[in-house]
Amino acid sequence: PLGSNPAFQVNLNAASQGSSPLLSPVLSDAGGARIEEEDEMKRKRCPTDKAYFIAKEILATERTYLKDLEVITVWFRSAVIKENAMPEGLMTLLFSNIDPIYEFHRGFLKEIEQRLSLW
């Protein structure tokens, strides 16, 4: 009997098309989807932010390490040569391994600084 009533059928059709107050964006979960999308975007940006801070930490560590290597390769060597405190063979043995490491890290630091400046 209800299905034969044309007014009732119109109301059902209107409700199924979204004009019902129960299907309005205010009462439905459509707003929740937008909030979830915003949260997802924040999560996607968060790894980038974390990666940037990690890269900055690596940069700071590399600067400190290069300064330590500089103390050994420049200042310590100069003091040892000036004081003639070590035989030549021992100095060669000691500094032959440190010099390439120092040179590598000088270039590495420059590369890290360039990459972070473009981040």
Side-chain angles (χ1 to χ4, degrees), residues 37-51:
E37 287 175 12
E38 290 173 5
D39 288 344
E40 186 175 336
M41 291 297 289
K42 287 178 185 177
R43 275 188 246 125
K44 285 182 180 178
R45 275 186 271 141
C46 187
T48 304
D49 295 341
K50 286 180 183 178

Side-chain angles (χ1 to χ4, degrees), residues 25-26 28-41:
V26 175
S28 72
D29 198 30
R34 190 171 351 120
I35 293 170
E36 288 174 10
E37 287 175 12
E38 290 173 5
D39 288 344
E40 186 175 336
M41 291 297 289

Side-chain angles (χ1 to χ4, degrees), residues 17-91:
Q17 292 175 359
S19 65
S20 166
L22 296 176
L23 297 176
S24 76
V26 175
L27 297 176
S28 72
D29 198 30
R34 190 171 351 120
I35 293 170
E36 288 174 10
E37 287 175 12
E38 290 173 5
D39 288 344
E40 186 175 336
M41 291 297 289
K42 287 178 185 177
R43 275 188 246 125
K44 285 182 180 178
R45 275 186 271 141
C46 187
T48 304
D49 295 341
K50 286 180 183 178
Y52 179 73
F53 288 115
I54 290 169
K56 283 183 69 171
E57 181 64 31
I58 290 171
L59 175 65
T61 302
E62 189 63 28
R63 283 181 178 153
T64 302
Y65 182 61
L66 190 63
K67 285 179 184 179
D68 293 343
L69 286 173
E70 185 179 350
V71 167
I72 295 169
T73 58
V74 177
W75 301 106
F76 179 68
R77 183 189 321 206
S78 297
V80 169
I81 291 171
K82 184 178 178 183
E83 298 293 323
N84 199 18
M86 192 180 295
E88 186 67 30
L90 184 57
M91 279 190 53

Side-chain angles (χ1 to χ4, degrees), residues 1-6 8-9:
L2 292 177
S4 62
N5 185 349
F8 184 73
Q9 289 175 352

